Amino acid sequence: MYLEKIIVRKSNPLKGEVKIDGAKNSALPVIAASLLGTEDIILEDVPKLKDVTIILKVLESLGAKIEYIDETTVKINSSNITEYKTPFDLMNKMRASFLVMGPLLARVGKTETHTPGGCAIGSRPVDLHLKGFKALGAVIDERLEIIGANAPNGLIGDTVYMDFPSVGATQNIIMAASLAKGETVIENPAKEPEIIDLANFINKMGGDVKGAGTSAIRIRGVEKLHGCVHQIIPDRIEASTFMVAAAMTEGDVVVQNVIPSHISPVIAKLREVGCEIDINEDEDSLRIRGPKKLLSTRIKTLPYPGFPTDVQAQFMALMTICDGQSKVEETVFENRFMHVQELQKMGALIVTEGKEARIAGVPKLTGAEVRATDLRAGAALVTAGLVAEGETRVSDIFHIDRGYHDFVGKLKNLGADIERKEVDE
């Protein structure tokens, strides 16, 4: 039996330039929101990822026409939506596919879907999405593994208070409200850059969304949305991952196509551990140089603009070789320490208790057979492999493919000793 693995060996300091792709977490909701438009929509800087392929297939199954103009430019036409039920085999592969519920409800007046899948990093209930739909007048029908919503008289604007600033729920409610009658106010919404990108996209189509990125978003429903051209924002998590890799290897890397203000907490913490970071706002780039000795630190994951949970695993990998004791407090997902056991196989000294992990820096890590337990855990194990003695073999790399295009190729271009190959198990 052959399995595809990423094989990493201890590498020299990473050096050179790396260009960041469009943000997966922005592309997915923007693609879903394309269901709202009745004319051609052209999306630029769409990342070449499996999750993107899946959500495009979801749109096709609903009647949308998809055409790739080039590798990262997609034309979507949703003028003739013929279906409102989403296929189980696609929904089961990716949680973000649930984002088509809001636009379908707004556009068709009904939707039926399956409970979404994705990474097993903890409970991500859809209650807040459904609460928002109910507030706009939808009737919810929940059965075993199937969720339906119906708005026979159309959606009507209302005030929705978010018990937790859920990114997905905020996006779904914005999309549903964009064609609703009257005004919708979302209080305590998520403030992520991806929310702002979605709002900008809907406004380009003729929508009226104000306040994205603040503590209250106002959406005035419009009669219809048309087409537009929209460029997806850069992926702040991919940028952060390459910055951590540079920091760990004493590297000197220029990260291109990044919006530094989107990763302020990561920049602050990397400087705290001893990195030099020069920001070039004019060219959307930055340069990071890793220190000879990384200093210990502590991070606490929080909704934006706090430290992102999607960088926690990579930062923990860095902490394993810091000088002294470091600490991680994970407040967003309760099951996001699955990478700890894998890092321990490489010689990391980590103790977890509830939402906290304490990390004692070690002089060196040792290569081992490890498994990517989720998307960001996989990235963390690869970066750990760059500094580990010997060879690290990472399996279950399909997780990594969900969030990074050509991760191995980009690291190799920076000088990493890394390859991707099928091995006989």
Side-chain angles (χ1 to χ4, degrees):
M1 180 180 170
Y2 286 93
L3 285 177
E4 201 173 19
K5 294 189 177 185
I6 292 176
I7 297 166
V8 200
R9 299 172 194 88
K10 186 169 184 181
S11 301
N12 292 323
L14 298 185
K15 291 188 186 300
E17 297 180 354
V18 61
K19 187 179 180 193
I20 301 305
D21 291 334
K24 178 192 87 150
N25 291 339
S26 193
L28 299 178
V30 166
I31 290 169
S34 299
L35 288 167
L36 296 164
T38 55
E39 299 170 6
D40 282 348
I41 287 161
I42 294 174
L43 301 178
E44 300 171 340
D45 274 5
V46 177
K48 294 176 278 186
L49 300 170
K50 287 189 176 180
D51 280 10
V52 168
T53 303
I54 291 167
I55 201 159
L56 287 171
K57 283 181 179 174
V58 171
L59 262 64
E60 279 186 316
S61 75
L62 298 169
K65 291 181 179 174
I66 310 294
E67 180 189 340
Y68 266 92
I69 295 171
D70 61 36
E71 279 197 329
T72 59
T73 307
V74 183
K75 181 163 82 172
I76 301 172
N77 188 296
S78 303
S79 55
N80 294 309
I81 297 300
T82 56
E83 186 56 76
Y84 67 92
K85 294 182 181 179
T86 51
F88 172 75
D89 61 319
L90 295 175
M91 298 300 288
N92 193 43
K93 290 177 183 174
M94 184 185 65
R95 180 177 179 80
S97 46
F98 197 72
L99 288 169
V100 299
M101 273 199 94
L104 281 175
L105 202 49
R107 182 82 191 280
V108 186
K110 56 185 173 180
T111 178
E112 187 175 295
T113 190
H114 293 260
T115 309
C119 279
I121 55 174
S123 168
R124 297 197 274 188
V126 295
D127 302 7
L128 290 173
H129 301 245
L130 303 181
K131 175 185 172 181
F133 298 154
K134 280 181 191 171
L136 301 182
V139 178
I140 307 298
D141 175 21
E142 288 187 78
R143 284 163 277 157
L144 185 64
E145 292 191 354
I146 290 181
I147 301 170
N150 195 357
N153 302 316
L155 297 172
I156 298 166
D158 202 347
T159 298
V160 182
Y161 176 79
M162 306 285 285
D163 300 311
F164 176 83
S166 158
V167 174
T170 301
Q171 290 165 337
N172 237 336
I173 297 164
I174 288 173
M175 291 186 281
S178 63
L179 294 176
K181 296 185 182 101
E183 182 177 86
T184 299
V185 180
I186 308 175
E187 296 178 344
N188 192 36
K191 299 175 182 177
E192 272 73 359
E194 295 80 13
I195 300 287
I196 299 170
D197 202 30
L198 175 64
N200 289 340
F201 171 62
I202 290 173
N203 289 341
K204 281 184 188 175
M205 289 195 289
D208 188 353
V209 184
K210 291 185 173 69
T214 74
S215 55
I217 301 174
R218 295 180 181 274
I219 309 108
R220 286 187 190 276
V222 296
E223 285 287 319
K224 62 182 274 188
L225 294 169
H226 48 72
C228 71
V229 177
H230 183 74
Q231 184 178 18
I232 303 295
I233 58 171
D235 194 319
R236 61 196 171 98
I237 308 303
E238 186 193 6
S240 300
T241 303
F242 279 100
M243 291 171 73
V244 168
M248 290 177 72
T249 61
E250 295 179 40
D252 184 351
V253 173
V254 174
V255 183
Q256 297 174 324
N257 193 38
V258 60
I259 300 174
S261 62
H262 289 177
I263 51 172
S264 296
V266 178
I267 290 171
K269 284 296 171 183
L270 284 170
R271 281 176 171 155
E272 207 172 283
V273 299
C275 296
E276 289 181 38
I277 299 173
D278 302 319
I279 294 171
N280 188 335
E281 299 276 8
D282 294 337
E283 295 184 10
D284 288 341
S285 70
L286 58 79
R287 180 183 180 187
I288 176 165
R289 282 163 292 203
K292 290 224 173 288
K293 184 183 283 188
L294 288 161
L295 306 174
S296 59
T297 188
R298 56 193 299 164
I299 60 169
K300 179 179 182 178
T301 65
L302 289 164
Y304 191 87
F307 192 95
T309 182
D310 278 354
V311 187
Q312 180 255 102
Q314 302 92 305
F315 226 85
M316 189 184 289
L318 176 146
M319 289 169 162
T320 63
I321 56 168
C322 282
D323 188 24
Q325 295 261 353
S326 295
K327 183 179 170 184
V328 171
E329 188 179 350
E330 173 59 60
T331 74
V332 180
F333 291 125
E334 77 280 3
N335 198 21
R336 207 159 198 174
F337 283 154
M338 292 191 294
H339 46 277
V340 168
Q341 191 174 349
E342 304 304 309
L343 288 169
Q344 286 169 336
K345 292 176 186 175
M346 301 175 71
L349 294 178
I350 308 170
V351 177
T352 61
E353 187 178 340
K355 294 179 177 181
E356 291 186 0
R358 292 188 300 280
I359 305 101
V362 294
K364 66 174 186 179
L365 297 174
T366 306
E369 290 276 351
V370 292
R371 183 174 70 89
T373 51
D374 61 70
L375 165 54
R376 306 306 172 185
L381 294 169
V382 171
T383 58
L386 294 171
V387 296
E389 298 291 338
E391 187 173 274
T392 300
R393 296 154 72 92
V394 185
S395 60
D396 287 1
I397 60 175
F398 61 89
H399 284 300
I400 297 172
D401 292 340
R402 288 188 47 238
Y404 299 90
H405 170 66
D406 195 22
F407 192 42
V408 168
K410 287 183 176 182
L411 284 168
K412 195 176 263 189
N413 285 342
L414 296 172
D417 188 351
I418 186 170
E419 62 183 321
R420 178 180 179 138
K421 69 177 185 179
E422 286 189 344
V423 294
D424 191 0
E425 286 294 297

